[in-house]
Amino acid sequence: GWKDAISTTIINFNNEKMQITWAAREVFPNENVSFSYTFDEGKYKVWKTCPTYLLDQDYNSGCLFKTEGPTLAISIRNSNGSEELFSKRLKSDFYIKPNPPENVTFFWKADTVTVSCNKPKRAVKCLRLELQYKSKFDKDWQSRTSKCCSVGEQGFDPRKCYSFRVRLKRLVPYCNVVNYSSDWEAETFWMNGTLLDSCDDDIKSQSNTVIFLSCLLAVLLMILILLILLCKCQRLQKSVMPAVPDPKYIFADLFNDHNGNFQEWIHKTDHAMVQTKIEYEEPELIIEAESQQEDERKSDKQGPQEKIFSFSRADENNDPKADQIACPMPTSNTIASFAGFQILMNDDMYVML
């Protein structure tokens, strides 16, 4: 009775290879067992030893061999094969695990997606095509199953990126006693009918754009704030600490022409000022002479006129009451000036102001 209680796992890979495994360490802890199998029926069975053992810590824990028929008999014996420890008969067709779908294609039309694959060579009626998908905003996969070998689904948003994966399943219990499905086909990424390398690319591109615009805005804002602070600091500096003029620019000739020699610079500067003063006074003398000549002409025409002589205020202070002094003067049409006092003259007298 304990022989029938041994747990085994049986997988028929697409009806091409069989894999039988058992818990060697738990069931046979101190013995390295042997495995035999046969696909023959009737009294005359030809038992074959396992061609490829699966190991668990150097103990035989399984066997891999070729599928040769629908009926299988297995036997587990002790290490030398003299004692049978476990035996079982089974239908290999009830343990089939299909291969992943081949040549998977996606057809997009508006918000509808149709997925199809090539039909397997055997037992197509026992197979179902399962489609799973999710967008970048979904946490769990959405599933859709249909007959082999085409499945369709509606309601896809063209603005979203979707992940797709498909696999084949065996019907239970009509075709299999164990619910076996194929491995998932390679995951693909689609957006509005366009195949992408990854949905992360779409997220990264959007996030990179947002980050770039945010950084650009922050930099522009910082530049604006710095300019405002700079203008305010310059105004505050001018109001609190006025700029001291640099003598280098005021006395440029002192530093450039005379290398800072003040004596040489002041000597040449005084000489230039005297020259300028002389050049400036000469036109005044000419103008004064011309005005005197004009006055003489007028006096000749108008007859006797008063003449003006100028004296200094010092004489005025000696005789403050004498604002005007009349003195006989020889007839003359010229204007005399003495030390800043003006003398008004006519033919027989003059008046001092």
Side-chain angles (χ1 to χ4, degrees), residues 335-349:
I335 297 174
S337 62
F338 299 93
F341 288 89
Q342 293 182 350
I343 301 174
L344 180 62
M345 300 173 57
N346 56 19
D347 292 339
D348 55 356
M349 64 184 296

Side-chain angles (χ1 to χ4, degrees), residues 10 90-91 93-96 170-180:
I10 304 168
L90 54 95
K91 289 288 186 179
D93 292 347
F94 288 166
Y95 297 88
I96 293 178
R170 288 275 293 187
L171 289 177
V172 178
Y174 305 104
C175 300
N176 263 32
V177 295
V178 181
N179 189 12
Y180 282 149

Side-chain angles (χ1 to χ4, degrees), residues 62-196:
C63 181
L64 186 65
F65 53 95
K66 184 179 179 181
T67 304
E68 299 176 0
T71 303
L72 173 65
I74 60 175
S75 175
I76 298 177
R77 297 175 176 269
N78 58 5
S79 58
N80 58 15
S82 60
E83 182 183 359
E84 186 178 73
L85 303 177
F86 174 76
S87 64
K88 186 175 184 179
R89 288 175 56 87
L90 54 95
K91 289 288 186 179
S92 61
D93 292 347
F94 288 166
Y95 297 88
I96 293 178
K97 179 178 180 178
N99 288 338
E102 298 179 354
N103 193 21
V104 179
T105 58
F106 289 80
F107 177 74
W108 288 74
K109 185 176 181 181
D111 65 340
T112 303
V113 177
T114 303
V115 182
S116 59
C117 67
N118 290 347
K119 288 185 178 183
K121 297 178 180 179
R122 301 175 182 175
V124 177
K125 295 181 179 180
C126 290
L127 296 175
R128 293 293 181 267
L129 181 63
E130 182 181 8
L131 169 68
Q132 287 191 345
Y133 60 91
K134 67 176 181 179
S135 71
K136 57 185 179 181
F137 303 103
D138 300 328
K139 293 183 179 180
D140 300 324
W141 290 94
Q142 307 295 321
S143 184
R144 175 78 173 180
T145 304
S146 182
K147 292 181 179 181
C148 187
C149 291
S150 179
V151 59
E153 184 63 22
Q154 296 179 342
F156 291 96
D157 190 344
R159 297 170 297 179
K160 295 181 180 180
C161 178
Y162 292 90
S163 303
F164 291 92
R165 62 183 185 181
V166 293
R167 67 179 178 180
L168 291 173
K169 298 180 65 176
R170 288 275 293 187
L171 289 177
V172 178
Y174 305 104
C175 300
N176 263 32
V177 295
V178 181
N179 189 12
Y180 282 149
S181 300
S182 71
D183 295 333
W184 290 104
E185 180 65 14
E187 188 175 347
T188 57
F189 307 92
W190 295 81
M191 181 175 180
N192 196 21
T194 303
L195 181 64
L196 303 177

Side-chain angles (χ1 to χ4, degrees), residues 29-92:
N30 299 319
E31 189 171 4
N32 198 6
V33 298
S34 62
F35 179 85
S36 300
Y37 70 95
T38 181
F39 286 93
D40 296 330
E41 298 182 8
K43 296 180 180 181
Y44 303 99
K45 297 179 182 178
V46 179
W47 291 90
K48 298 179 181 179
T49 59
C50 178
T52 305
Y53 278 104
L54 304 177
L55 302 180
D56 180 12
Q57 298 181 4
D58 296 332
Y59 283 87
N60 296 334
S61 62
C63 181
L64 186 65
F65 53 95
K66 184 179 179 181
T67 304
E68 299 176 0
T71 303
L72 173 65
I74 60 175
S75 175
I76 298 177
R77 297 175 176 269
N78 58 5
S79 58
N80 58 15
S82 60
E83 182 183 359
E84 186 178 73
L85 303 177
F86 174 76
S87 64
K88 186 175 184 179
R89 288 175 56 87
L90 54 95
K91 289 288 186 179
S92 61

